[in-house]
C-alpha cells in the first residue's frame, strides 16, 4: 500500500478531523475571495453610479444652458458698447449716448475672433421732437444685426427695418391713430408704416424705428452710431471683465456696460445651480472613494487575522491527528517505513485538504457574493467580465495548499520524529 492510499484511508477513517480542517481552509479561502470580489463589485457599482450621475448632470446642464439661452433671448441685448468719453450718468438718465463712434466698429467687432459676444446690432438713438405730430419720441436707427463671421449663424433677435419704412411703439400708433401701411411724415421725410408693436411697458412704447441710413440722414450723423447692442454669452462665470478687455483691444475708445440685471441674475443663478451639481458629484465621488479605502483597510486587517486563525486551527487538528495515530506510526516505523515517508504521509494529507478546501472556498464565495448582494444583473455581468477569475482561482488554490502545508509542518515533523520503540512501549 503506497502513501496516497494510506492518506485516502486515513481521511475516510477520521472523517471529523478531516471535515474540521477542511472547513477552516474553506473559511479562509472564501473570506479572501469574497473580500476581493466584493471590493471589485463596489468599484463597479461606484463607476456605474458616477456614470449615471454624470449623465444626469450633463442632461441637467444642457437644459440649464438652453433655459439660459432662451431667457437671454427673451431679455434681449444685455451688453451696450458706448464711446469711451460718454458720461454714464447722462446715458442712464437719457438712455441714449450723446457721443458717437464709426459705424464700421460694428463690422470690425463682428469680424474679430471674439467668442463671448453674439447678435451684434449697431444703432443710432436720440430723443427728438416729432415736428409733424408735436410729440417727443425716441428715434432709433438700425440696419439689422451684423453676423459673426467666425461663428455659426443664428436667427436674428431683431429684424432690420428697410429703408423708407418705420416701426412704431404701442403708445405712438394708438394715441395718434396710425395703422400698418399708413404713410406718415417724420422730419420732412415720408415713411410707410411697416409694423406697430403691442404694449411692452417700457420706453419702446414711445419709440420709432427706422433704417440706420435714414436715421443718419435725418440726424446729420453720416457714418456714425452711438451704441452697439450685443448679447453676452453666459457660458462661464464673471466673463464681463474678459469681454471688456477684448472689446477694448478690438475697438479702442469704447466702453462696455451690462444691462438687464434681473435676467442676468436669473441666468447666473442657473449657472450656480449647475456648479453646485458638479460639486455634489465630486463630493459623491470623493465619499465613495473614502468608503472604498476604509473597506480595503478593514479587509487588509481582517483577512490576515482570519488566515492566521484558520492556520492555527489546521495545525491544532494536525496535532490531534498525530497524537491519535501514535500506535499506527509506531507500527509503520517498526516495519521499516522511514521517517521521510511518515512526514510525506501527513504532508500529502494537508496538501489534499488545501486543494480541496481552496476549490470549495472559491465556489462558495462566488455563490455567496451573487446570492446575498442586491446588484443588478448588468453589474454582476460586468463583474464576471472584468474579474480575473482564473488567476485568482489558481492563486487561491495554491495559497490554500501552502497555508495547510505551513500549518501542518510542525505536526508532520512531530510524527516523523517519533521513536517507534518508545511509542510501542508506551502503547
Amino acid at each position: 500500500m503506497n502513501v496516497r492510499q494510506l492518506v485516502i484511508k486515513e481521511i475516510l477513517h477520521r472523517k471529523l478531523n478531516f471535515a474540521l480542517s477542511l472547513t477552516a481552509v474553506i473559511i479562509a479561502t472564501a473570506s479572501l475571495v469574497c473580500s476581493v470580489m466584493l471590493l471589485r463589485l463596489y468599484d463597479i457599482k461606484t463607476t456605474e453610479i458616477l456614470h449615471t450621475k454624470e449623465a444626469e448632470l450633463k442632461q441637467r446642464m444642457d437644459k440649464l444652458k438652453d433655459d439660459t439661452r432662451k431667457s437671454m433671448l427673451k431679455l434681449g441685448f444685455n451688453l451696450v458698447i458706448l464711446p469711451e468719453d460718454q458720461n454714464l450718468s447722462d446715458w442712464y438718465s437719457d438712455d441714449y449716448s450723446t457721443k458717437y463712434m464709426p459705424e464700421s466698429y460694428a463690422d470690425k467687432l463682428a469680424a474679430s475672433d471674439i467668442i463671448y459676444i453674439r447678435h451684434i446690432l449697431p444703432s443710432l438713438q436720440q430723443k427728438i421732437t416729432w415736428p409733424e405730430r408735436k410729440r417727443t419720441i425716441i428715434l432709433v436707427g438700425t440696419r439689422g444685426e451684423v453676423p459673426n463671421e467666425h461663428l455659426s449663424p443664428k436667427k436674428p433677435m431683431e429684424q432690420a427695418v428697410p429703408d423708407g419704412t418705420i416701426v412704431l411703439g404701442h403708445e405712438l400708433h394708438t394715441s395718434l391713430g396710425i395703422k400698418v401701411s399708413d404713410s406718415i411724415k417724420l422730419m420732412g421725410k415720408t415713411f410707410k408704416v411697416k409694423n406697430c408693436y403691442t404694449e411692452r411697458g417700457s420706453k419702446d412704447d414711445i419709440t420709432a424705428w427706422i433704417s440706420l441710413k435714414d436715421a443718419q440722414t435725418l440726424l446729420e450723423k453720416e457714418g456714425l452710431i452711438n451704441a452697439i447692442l450685443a448679447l453676452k454669452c453666459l457660458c462661464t462665470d464673471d466673463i464681463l471683465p474678459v469681454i471688456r478687455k477684448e472689446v477694448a483691444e478690438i475697438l479702442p475708445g469704447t466702453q462696455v456696460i451690462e444691462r438687464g440685471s434681473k435676467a442676468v441674475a436669473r441666468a447666473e443663478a442657473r449657472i450656480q445651480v449647475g456648479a453646485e451639481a458638479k460639486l455634489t458629484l465630486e463630493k459623491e465621488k470623493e465619499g465613495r472613494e473614502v468608503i472604498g479605502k476604509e473597506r480595503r483597510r478593514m479587509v487588509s486587517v481582517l483577512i490576515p487575522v482570519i488566515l492566521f486563525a484558520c492556520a492555527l486551527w489546521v495545525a491544532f487538528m494536525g496535532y490531534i491527528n498525530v497524537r491519535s495515530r501514535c500506535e499506527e506510526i509506531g507500527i509503520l516505523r517498526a516495519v521499516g517505513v522511514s521517517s521521510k515517508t511518515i512526514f510525506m504521509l501527513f504532508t500529502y494529507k494537508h496538501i489534499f485538504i488545501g486543494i480541496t478546501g481552496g476549490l470549495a472556498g472559491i465556489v462558495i464565495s462566488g455563490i455567496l457574493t451573487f446570492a446575498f448582494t442586491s446588484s443588478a444583473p448588468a453589474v454582476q455581468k460586468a463583474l464576471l467580465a472584468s474579474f480575473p477569475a482564473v488567476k485568482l482561482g489558481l492563486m487561491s488554490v495554491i495559497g490554500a495548499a501552502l497555508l495547510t502545508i505551513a500549518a501542518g509542518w510542525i505536526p508532520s515533523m512531530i510524527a516523523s520524529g517519533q521513536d517507534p520503540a518508545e511509542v510501542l512501549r508506551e502503547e
Side-chain angles (χ1 to χ4, degrees):
M1 185 176 294
N2 56 35
V3 175
R4 292 181 181 82
Q5 290 174 330
L6 287 174
V7 170
I8 294 173
K9 288 185 176 294
E10 196 277 333
I11 290 174
L12 294 176
H13 182 66
R14 292 179 172 83
K15 298 181 181 66
L16 180 61
N17 185 284
F18 172 75
L20 293 175
S21 299
L22 185 64
T23 300
V25 178
I26 291 174
I27 291 173
T29 306
S31 299
L32 177 62
V33 176
C34 266
S35 298
V36 175
M37 293 181 72
L38 289 174
L39 288 175
R40 179 58 182 158
L41 188 63
Y42 179 81
D43 291 340
I44 292 174
K45 290 178 69 176
T46 296
T47 302
E48 183 189 41
I49 290 172
L50 292 177
H51 283 171
T52 301
K53 289 185 176 293
E54 285 175 356
E56 292 175 353
L57 176 61
K58 183 179 183 302
Q59 185 178 7
R60 186 178 183 184
M61 290 299 295
D62 290 342
K63 187 177 185 304
L64 285 173
K65 187 180 294 186
D66 188 59
D67 289 344
T68 300
R69 181 185 61 81
K70 292 177 180 178
S71 175
M72 300 314 292
L73 289 176
K74 289 179 181 179
L75 165 71
F77 300 96
N78 54 21
L79 287 181
V80 182
I81 301 173
L82 301 172
E84 189 177 33
D85 55 351
Q86 171 63 47
N87 185 290
L88 292 183
S89 297
D90 296 338
W91 185 84
Y92 283 120
S93 61
D94 298 333
D95 204 22
Y96 70 91
S97 174
T98 57
K99 305 297 180 180
Y100 301 91
M101 55 188 168
E103 180 185 347
S104 60
Y105 268 22
D107 298 302
K108 187 176 180 182
L109 182 63
S112 68
D113 58 356
I114 191 168
I115 61 174
Y116 300 117
I117 292 180
R118 303 294 295 266
H119 301 282
I120 298 168
L121 180 70
S123 69
L124 179 62
Q125 179 174 320
Q126 189 171 320
K127 186 181 291 184
I128 65 168
T129 298
W130 188 351
E132 288 82 1
R133 303 284 181 163
K134 308 300 181 184
R135 293 285 301 271
T136 298
I137 66 171
I138 298 174
L139 180 65
V140 177
T142 176
R143 73 180 220 195
E145 294 182 15
V146 183
N148 300 79
E149 297 180 358
H150 61 290
L151 298 175
S152 57
K154 297 290 183 181
K155 182 180 179 181
M157 294 170 55
E158 188 167 316
Q159 299 296 327
V161 180
D163 293 342
T165 64
I166 189 170
V167 176
L168 298 176
H170 179 266
E171 172 60 23
L172 292 181
H173 72 79
T174 54
S175 62
L176 298 175
I178 300 173
K179 299 179 181 179
V180 176
S181 299
D182 287 351
S183 293
I184 60 174
K185 278 194 174 185
L186 174 63
M187 300 178 69
K189 183 177 175 63
T190 302
F191 293 90
K192 184 177 181 180
V193 179
K194 180 177 183 293
N195 197 4
C196 293
Y197 287 152
T198 57
E199 187 175 5
R200 295 182 177 181
S202 65
K203 66 181 181 66
D204 287 354
D205 291 340
I206 59 167
T207 299
W209 289 268
I210 60 177
S211 71
L212 180 58
K213 182 179 178 181
D214 288 338
Q216 290 170 339
T217 301
L218 293 180
L219 300 175
E220 299 180 351
K221 301 295 181 183
E222 299 291 341
L224 296 177
I225 56 175
N226 58 3
I228 299 175
L229 307 182
L231 183 69
K232 180 186 74 170
C233 169
L234 290 179
C235 48
T236 57
D237 298 334
D238 196 21
I239 199 63
L240 185 58
V242 178
I243 293 176
R244 283 174 171 162
K245 180 181 177 182
E246 292 186 355
V247 170
E249 293 175 354
I250 300 168
L251 306 178
T254 61
Q255 58 181 321
V256 179
I257 62 173
E258 186 176 28
R259 69 178 185 178
S261 58
K262 289 184 179 180
V264 171
R266 189 163 60 247
E268 289 178 344
R270 291 190 179 104
I271 293 176
Q272 182 63 28
V273 169
E276 290 176 358
K278 288 183 179 179
L279 182 61
T280 301
L281 179 61
E282 289 298 322
K283 288 183 178 179
E284 174 78 16
K285 184 178 180 180
E286 291 175 2
R288 294 193 70 86
E289 286 179 353
V290 169
I291 295 174
K293 288 180 181 178
E294 290 296 328
R295 290 187 176 187
R296 287 177 173 81
R297 188 179 296 111
M298 181 181 66
V299 167
S300 67
V301 173
L302 186 61
I303 292 302
V305 172
I306 294 176
L307 293 178
F308 182 71
C310 291
L312 284 180
W313 182 255
V314 171
F316 179 67
M317 289 294 100
Y319 179 73
I320 292 178
N321 188 32
V322 170
R323 293 292 298 172
S324 64
R325 298 178 65 187
C326 284
E327 181 179 356
E328 178 187 344
I329 293 171
I331 294 173
L332 289 174
R333 291 297 306 281
V335 297
V337 177
S338 65
S339 60
K340 180 180 179 182
T341 303
I342 297 298
F343 178 82
M344 294 306 299
L345 173 65
F346 286 92
T347 300
Y348 282 160
K349 177 184 176 182
H350 287 112
I351 292 174
F352 181 75
I353 292 173
I355 294 174
T356 306
L359 292 172
I362 293 171
V363 174
I364 292 173
S365 64
I367 295 173
L368 292 176
T369 300
F370 289 107
F372 295 99
T373 56
S374 57
S375 302
V379 176
Q380 295 179 351
K381 186 177 180 181
L383 174 63
L384 292 174
S386 63
F387 198 71
V390 176
K391 182 179 179 180
L392 181 63
L394 184 60
M395 292 179 63
S396 298
V397 171
I398 294 175
L402 293 176
L403 176 70
T404 53
I405 291 173
W409 186 269
I410 294 178
S412 299
M413 291 295 293
I414 293 174
S416 63
Q418 289 183 0
D419 185 353
E422 290 292 331
V423 173
L424 293 176
R425 183 177 61 81
E426 291 177 3
E427 294 298 331

